[in-house]
Amino acid sequence: YEGDAAAGGLFLRAGFAAAPLDAALRQQGLALWGRERAAVLVWVAVDNGQRRYLLGAEDADPLIAQLQAAARRQNLELVLPLLDLEDQSKVTFTRVQEGDLDGMAAASARYQPQSVLVGSLQSAANGWSGRWALRHAGEDTRWQVGETPLATLLDQSLAPAAGKLATRAPSVPLADTAPARVTVRVEGVTRLHDYARVDQ
């Protein structure tokens, strides 16, 4: 405890040893997030009762700030598409609303994402509802969230995605383990740009 009880109270300063905590989490079968989080490309179709539109990275829509805040609470890094002419030639509101993962994965290729999240937000009488689909590591997952206030809906919408990504997160080596030899194989390097990214 630190501080002075008479002058304003005591404060508890707590610390922990990372290596034993990591080991305990692994023993429970829980995945550990690393320092680097893979960004998730997210396509969102919004029907607010007055208009239907897609969220883009350059938009000033306040919904984007709420979505990003929910992502931070779930330890996710979301990237929104540019929705420029190239995106608009491949993507429609209906395709996103229906959660067409095959079509959206093809349209997302230019962003080279590790994961693609497709969502549909619908304004309802008692709040908002949502339908979501995630493609990650070749596996598709779908879920729905019933009518609820928007902030709650966004948290409940992103939680399954965070859980899925954390489950497949690579193991983080323990701080006290000896260095190991790791062999990495890189495939699909067909252009100079690809080589430069690998080298970087």
Side-chain angles (χ1 to χ4, degrees), residues 15 17 19 34-35 43 53 66 69 71 80-82 98 108-109 114 117 128 131 134 160 169 177 183:
R35 292 185 182 274
W43 299 87
Y53 61 97
Q66 293 178 277
L80 287 162
L82 297 173
E98 293 175 350
S108 302
Q114 292 185 349
L117 179 63
W128 291 75
R131 292 196 314 266
L134 172 71
T177 56
T183 301

Side-chain angles (χ1 to χ4, degrees), residues 10-178:
L10 294 174
F11 298 90
L12 173 67
R13 180 184 297 272
F16 65 92
L21 180 59
D22 287 353
L25 289 171
R26 282 203 189 85
Q27 287 174 355
Q28 296 298 316
L30 300 174
L32 301 178
W33 283 110
R35 292 185 182 274
E36 297 296 325
R37 307 290 171 84
V40 179
L41 180 65
V42 58
W43 299 87
V44 183
V46 181
D47 182 349
N48 63 12
Q50 298 178 343
R51 70 184 185 108
R52 296 159 36 126
Y53 61 97
L54 299 175
L55 288 181
E58 304 299 321
D59 295 346
D61 194 315
L63 181 56
I64 294 176
Q66 293 178 277
L67 181 66
Q68 294 289 11
R72 284 191 294 274
R73 290 192 292 272
Q74 298 294 335
N75 290 318
L76 290 175
E77 181 183 345
L78 297 184
V79 175
L80 287 162
L82 297 173
L83 288 187
D84 55 9
L85 291 176
E86 183 175 346
D87 284 343
Q88 292 174 36
S89 69
K90 300 175 182 176
V91 177
T92 64
F93 178 90
T94 302
R95 177 170 279 180
V96 176
Q97 186 182 43
E98 293 175 350
D100 176 11
L101 281 174
D102 289 332
M104 298 313 301
S108 302
R110 65 182 289 208
Y111 297 99
Q112 300 181 331
Q114 292 185 349
S115 306
V116 177
L117 179 63
V118 180
S120 171
L121 299 176
Q122 171 81 44
S123 178
N126 298 316
W128 291 75
S129 62
R131 292 196 314 266
W132 296 87
L134 172 71
R135 177 164 291 176
H136 176 67
E139 183 178 322
D140 294 352
T141 308
R142 297 178 183 274
W143 64 96
Q144 297 184 26
V145 181
E147 293 184 18
T148 187
L150 183 57
T152 304
L153 173 99
L154 293 175
D155 281 330
Q156 292 177 357
S157 295
L158 296 180
K164 202 72 176 174
L165 295 173
T167 299
R168 291 185 171 269
S171 297
V172 180
L174 297 175
D176 58 355
T177 56

